[in-house]
DNA sequence: TCCGCCAAGTTGTATATACAGGCTAGTCCA
DNA sequence: TGGACTAGCCTGTATATACAACTTGGCGGA
């Protein structure tokens, strides 16, 4: 589909997003200033401003008055029920991350996996099985399936040093994710990998992630219940710092 | 703090948000049009447009070209690690909600509770203990402490018909919440209330909620692991519908 | 009566212009 | 040499204006 019907501020946004997604612009790189966009793209400054402002709201770029506009460091983002990279999370706690890769094989999707990824039975996928360690203690079993078409270089990756999550977001930005959180007893294999005593439950996160408009990876993440918890911080729409700090009266905005 | 330093589009947003929060404007009510704001608030139309457009992005209002701007139906919103009211959640599934109130007493905060609510040891609080049922099966044990100062009418409430969560949000809007999710084995009392077999884990949500700028309630919510899961949907900054629909070339925006 | 058309109001976008305020690098002066 | 200052760029905001597209209601003609 062509873009001839899109508003120009959206075309500008698309242009910049594409340059970020493609890697032409990396984190901390400078994005053209409003005035440069005015000249090179033949738009008015307000249009360029809207494009850049919305990209700021959406987390793609950061703007500093007087300096310029810069591509965000995606790694520094943090969200609600955050879509964590376990390695970053561990680093944030000042602990050491380790990782054993138990499996990295090419397979054919079947059953639950094919349904989760919304592909035909038999579609090529990579199956990864990793154990993540925090200061030497096993903290997560990552059982992940990735569409081979989406990440053809999976086989050659050293997931001991770059987590699958980090690798995948480096290929294409995360568009959407769906998570299900459960408490359940682990099976024998998971229990062994996590070195858990019998009877102890796991906190299980099942996560599907979208890119290019379709699900590309499905992960089951098992954590030992006694050593792991999920935290979330919720700020509702319009805590707007001002809900109780609001002295504006109708007909009386201050200039 | 005054608002004299806020930009005018923000003042406009605050104004409208306040009218929505206070109930002066309810779902589906009509919000002043851009031209009305231009006249009544003495701003330019672009400023009014920005205020209303951002309120749209933030989910407060919906706009229909040719018709007007209308307050969103908040019930249709959904959030990441959603701050659920268990009764609404059950109703949404088309099931029947029931509730036993096991305890509703006035106590003095001590230890963990005082710390969680950030008050002195001995501060007056209400302690609620409820079991929620979905189609007759116990689905949640709600062990909640509420600052008595914040909700003095707690003792007189019939929490069998209005859940504490609904009651508390009716007193003051939720400002902020912090959640911790764990998998753990229940103690004997919880296990009995939830009618769980021995050895089955609970999904536990611990939630602190802020209002008026301080924590006002702390809840421990136990759910049977075999019959309950948390779901979250994550849409990052900029799903922009267009990432893969992008044929714009540099120096060649279409007009 | 009924259908079609148009006017008025609304949102959506685009532009030109203006001023305020932050940041930086380079210049000039002591 | 070192420090203060300023010119120039940047973002942030605000306004006036314009045109397009959509919706509704009312008016007029068949």
């Amino acid at each position: 589909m062509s873009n001839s019907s899109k508003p120009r501020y959206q075309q500008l946004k698309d242009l910049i997003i594409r340059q970020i997604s493609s890697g032409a612009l990396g984190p901390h790189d400078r994005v053209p200033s409003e005035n440069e966009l005015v000249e090179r793209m033949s738009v008015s400054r307000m249009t360029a401003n809207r494009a850049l402002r919305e990209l700021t709201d959406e987390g793609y770029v950061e703007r500093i008055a007087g300096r310029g506009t810069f591509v965000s460091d995606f790694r520094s983002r943090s969200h609600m029920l955050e879509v964590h990279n376990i390695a970053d999370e561990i680093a944030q706690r000042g602990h050491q991350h380790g990782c054993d890769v138990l499996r990295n094989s090419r397979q054919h999707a079947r059953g639950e996996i094919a349904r989760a990824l919304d592909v035909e039975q038999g579609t090529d996928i990579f199956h990864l099985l990793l154990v993540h360690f925090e200061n030497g203690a096993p903290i997560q079993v990552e059982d992940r399936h990735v569409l081979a078409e989406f990440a053809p270089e999976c086989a050659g990756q050293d997931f001991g040093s770059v987590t699958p999550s980090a690798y995948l977001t480096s290929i294409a930005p995360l568009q959407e994710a769906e998570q299900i959180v459960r408490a359940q007893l682990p099976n024998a294999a998971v229990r062994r990998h996590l070195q858990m005593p019998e009877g102890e439950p796991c906190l299980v996160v099942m996560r599907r992630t979208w890119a290019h408009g379709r699900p590309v990876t499905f992960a089951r993440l098992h954590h030992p219940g006694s050593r792991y918890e999920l935290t979330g911080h919720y700020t509702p729409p319009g805590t707007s710092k001002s809900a109780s700090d609001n002295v504006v009266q109708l007909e009386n905005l201050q200039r």
Side-chain angles (χ1 to χ4, degrees), chain A:
Chain A
M1 163 182 158
S2 130
N3 51 358
S4 55
S5 60
K6 285 187 194 170
R8 309 194 77 200
Y9 76 89
Q10 184 64 52
Q11 296 181 36
L12 265 184
K13 286 175 63 179
D14 290 343
L15 187 71
I16 295 167
I17 288 175
R18 215 180 50 232
Q19 300 206 342
I20 294 175
S21 303
S22 74
L25 286 174
H28 308 295
D29 281 356
R30 195 167 178 290
V31 173
S33 75
E34 296 183 1
N35 283 321
E36 284 169 354
L37 290 175
V38 166
E39 291 188 6
R40 293 167 48 189
M41 301 287 114
S42 306
V43 298
S44 78
R45 199 190 138 214
M46 284 307 293
T47 300
N49 176 271
R50 177 166 178 183
L52 291 177
R53 179 155 41 79
E54 292 193 2
L55 287 176
T56 306
D57 292 340
E58 294 163 12
Y60 284 100
V61 301
E62 293 170 12
R63 314 193 74 192
I64 304 173
R67 296 229 308 138
T69 303
F70 305 90
V71 176
S72 290
D73 186 348
F74 283 71
R75 290 166 303 188
S76 69
R77 283 203 215 158
S78 125
H79 293 290
M80 188 60 43
L81 209 175
E82 313 180 19
V83 175
H84 272 313
N85 179 341
I86 186 79
D88 292 346
E89 191 182 313
I90 291 171
Q92 222 167 40
R93 287 196 278 272
H95 292 173
Q96 202 186 352
H97 172 252
C99 183
D100 281 355
V101 181
L102 303 183
R103 167 179 292 213
N104 180 354
S105 64
R106 196 169 182 123
Q107 302 183 344
H108 299 291
R110 54 197 168 79
E112 184 197 1
I113 306 302
R115 275 195 304 280
L117 295 176
D118 196 20
V119 294
E120 297 286 324
Q121 303 273 327
T123 304
D124 266 18
I125 54 168
F126 286 100
H127 180 198
L128 310 174
L129 187 63
L130 300 86
V131 182
H132 296 273
F133 297 86
E134 176 167 4
N135 283 353
I139 195 71
Q140 179 185 91
V141 170
E142 174 174 5
D143 180 6
R144 182 183 292 274
H145 296 262
V146 185
L147 228 55
E149 183 194 351
F150 171 70
E153 307 302 328
C154 239
Q157 287 299 312
D158 173 19
F159 290 120
S161 57
V162 179
T163 64
S165 168
Y167 169 63
L168 294 172
T169 48
S170 77
I171 293 181
L174 161 71
Q175 270 190 347
E176 212 170 330
E178 180 190 88
Q179 290 194 145
I180 299 176
V181 180
R182 288 188 185 150
Q184 64 186 207
L185 293 175
N187 62 30
V190 168
R191 190 163 72 81
R192 195 177 62 246
H193 292 317
L194 293 177
Q195 296 167 23
M196 291 166 61
E198 187 159 352
E200 184 185 317
C202 277
L203 191 65
V204 184
V205 176
M206 287 178 295
R207 182 182 301 160
R208 281 202 294 171
T209 307
W210 275 252
H212 303 315
R214 64 187 211 276
V216 295
T217 174
F218 174 62
R220 272 184 291 242
L221 311 170
H222 281 76
H223 312 82
S226 63
R227 281 179 282 135
Y228 191 84
E229 61 192 22
L230 278 175
T231 63
H233 190 83
Y234 170 84
T235 309
T239 301
S240 99
K241 308 122 205 167
S242 49
S244 61
D245 175 31
N246 227 329
V247 230
V248 190
Q249 295 304 317
L250 247 180
E251 315 286 352
N252 183 23
L253 294 191
Q254 310 202 10
R255 193 182 284 268

